[in-house]
């Protein structure tokens, strides 16, 4: 099926990494050009680029920038690895770049490997879309949390690829995008990219999910993931666990969509996933305007863990798990090793 992305989240040419600036969306579509490892690392830290697969791809191009600028590999690797702790795709991509760097000192080989990581992600998002679309019924109202779209990946997205493919198959799909406080990835980014592609999207406040489920107005949910443990526990944007608990209570299915690079088979369970704590200003301010008393205490965990038992299926580029996520992930791994 032919789907086209109408914008480029990430592109790289001859030492210049170009990113759409996600901090400015949806009011401004601005692109930044980066040509040093430090600026690439900062773009991940400050969420110019965000979303697990997009962070991994950006880090890979960060290593390409290191090769172009004669930066020491260990220094570049260390700096990029320090940026964000939860999304495993970052470390996965850096490992791949480490392998190629140890095999070849050629800038071209290093750039080719980074571009390969990008190209593989495009294919992976397509396969996730195809596998996942089969799970979404015609006429469904689908809730999504955060942004697991083209902005969070190379193209199409993970959760939003499932929705895009279901839509492209002719299914009538309505999307509810919850706001996703504090950074508002749902209200700002998911709404922007789905409207741009002509999908039927409605923004809802985060705290409307229980109410709408109670009224029978949400049929299922599809979300992305930042890291998935081998037992199927899923770390995703803060608030996912609340959404998952409400879906479970109302007997509505939750689908998780992610590339295989998000699976961390070294972890037995989600409790072992490092959870990033971000700065308090994300909570105390909106667009620079204070919304809390000065100096109030704040907690700002950026991710949470949803237990595998609340998940109907984990859809990767290798297929969709059934009720036994751990067994099916293990099988997907052995079939591809
Ligand atoms: O903090 P963010 O915006 O990088 O977090 C992103 C998410 O949690 C997404 O839902 C997840 O990465 C899936 S991205 C395909």
């Amino acid at each position: 099926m032919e789907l086209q992305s109408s914008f480029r989240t990430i592109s790289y040419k001859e030492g210049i990494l170009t990113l759409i600036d996600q901090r400015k969306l949806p009011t401004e579509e601005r692109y930044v050009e980066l040509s040093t490892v430090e600026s690439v690392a900062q773009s991940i830290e400050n969420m110019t680029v965000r979303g697990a697969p997009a962070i991994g791809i950006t880090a890979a191009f960060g290593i390409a920038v290191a090769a172009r600028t004669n930066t020491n590999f260990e220094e570049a690797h260390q700096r990029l690895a320090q940026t964000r702790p939860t999304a495993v795709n970052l470390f996965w991509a850096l490992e791949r770049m480490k392998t190629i760097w140890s095999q070849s000192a050629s800038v071209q080989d290093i750039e080719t490997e980074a571009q390969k990581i990008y190209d593989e992600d495009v294919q992976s998002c397509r396969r996730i879309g195809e596998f996942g679309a089969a799970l979404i019924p015609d006429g469904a109202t689908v809730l999504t949390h955060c942004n697991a779209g083209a902005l969070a990946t190379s193209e199409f997205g993970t959760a939003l690829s499932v929705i895009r493919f279901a839509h492209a198959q002719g299914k009538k799909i309505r999307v509810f995008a919850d706001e996703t406080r504090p950074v508002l990835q749902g209200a700002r980014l998911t709404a922007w990219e789905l409207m741009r592609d002509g999908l039927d999207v409605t923004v809802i406040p985060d705290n409307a999910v229980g109410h709408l489920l109670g009224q029978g107005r949400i049929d299922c949910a599809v979300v992305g993931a930042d890291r998935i443990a081998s037992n199927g526990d899923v770390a995703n944007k803060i608030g996912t666990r609340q959404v998952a608990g409400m879906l479970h209570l109302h007997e509505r299915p939750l689908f998780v969509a992610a590339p295989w690079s998000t699976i961390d088979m070294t972890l037995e369970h989600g409790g072992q996933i490092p959870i990033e704590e971000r700065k308090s200003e994300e909570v105390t301010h909106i667009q620079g305007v204070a919304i809390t008393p000065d100096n109030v205490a704040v907690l700002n965990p950026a991710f949470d863990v949803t237990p595998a038992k609340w998940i109907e299926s984990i859809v990767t580029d290798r297929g969709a798990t059934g009720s036994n996520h751990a067994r099916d992930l293990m099988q997907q791994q052995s079939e591809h090793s």
Side-chain angles (χ1 to χ4, degrees), residues 45-66:
E45 271 165 358
N46 67 25
M47 295 175 79
T48 301
V49 63
R50 32 72 43 209
I55 292 172
I57 294 164
T58 300
F61 283 127
I63 296 295
V65 167

Side-chain angles (χ1 to χ4, degrees), residues 137-180:
D138 191 8
T141 295
V142 183
L143 172 68
T144 189
H145 182 69
C146 194
N147 172 267
L151 289 166
T153 61
S154 53
E155 279 192 89
F156 314 121
T158 53
L160 296 194
S161 183
V162 169
I163 290 168
R164 284 190 166 92
F165 272 81
H167 172 77
Q169 286 170 358
K171 290 181 183 169
K172 197 166 159 29
I173 306 292
R174 180 176 193 200
V175 181
F176 282 174
D178 68 22
E179 296 169 284
T180 321

Side-chain angles (χ1 to χ4, degrees), residues 119-141:
D119 294 341
E120 286 171 14
D121 189 66
V122 175
Q123 293 315 318
S124 168
C125 288
R126 275 185 187 281
R127 282 196 292 273
I128 291 167
E130 283 164 357
F131 285 128
L135 303 170
I136 308 292
D138 191 8
T141 295

Side-chain angles (χ1 to χ4, degrees), residues 47 50-53 84 146-148 152 158 185 224-226 236-237 303:
M47 295 175 79
R50 32 72 43 209
R84 296 194 69 189
C146 194
N147 172 267
T158 53
Q185 290 94 330
D226 290 80
N236 192 46
K237 179 50 54 190
F303 299 95

Side-chain angles (χ1 to χ4, degrees), residues 143 213 218 220-221 243-254:
L143 172 68
L213 275 164
I218 296 173
C220 62
V243 165
M246 289 309 292
L247 287 156
H248 183 67
L249 195 65
H250 290 86
E251 298 179 345
R252 290 284 179 273
L254 169 64

Side-chain angles (χ1 to χ4, degrees), residues 179 181-182 184 281-292:
E179 296 169 284
R181 277 282 292 150
L184 298 169
E281 285 74 18
E282 288 180 353
V283 177
T284 58
H285 289 67
I286 293 183
Q287 309 274 351
V289 177
I291 56 162
T292 56

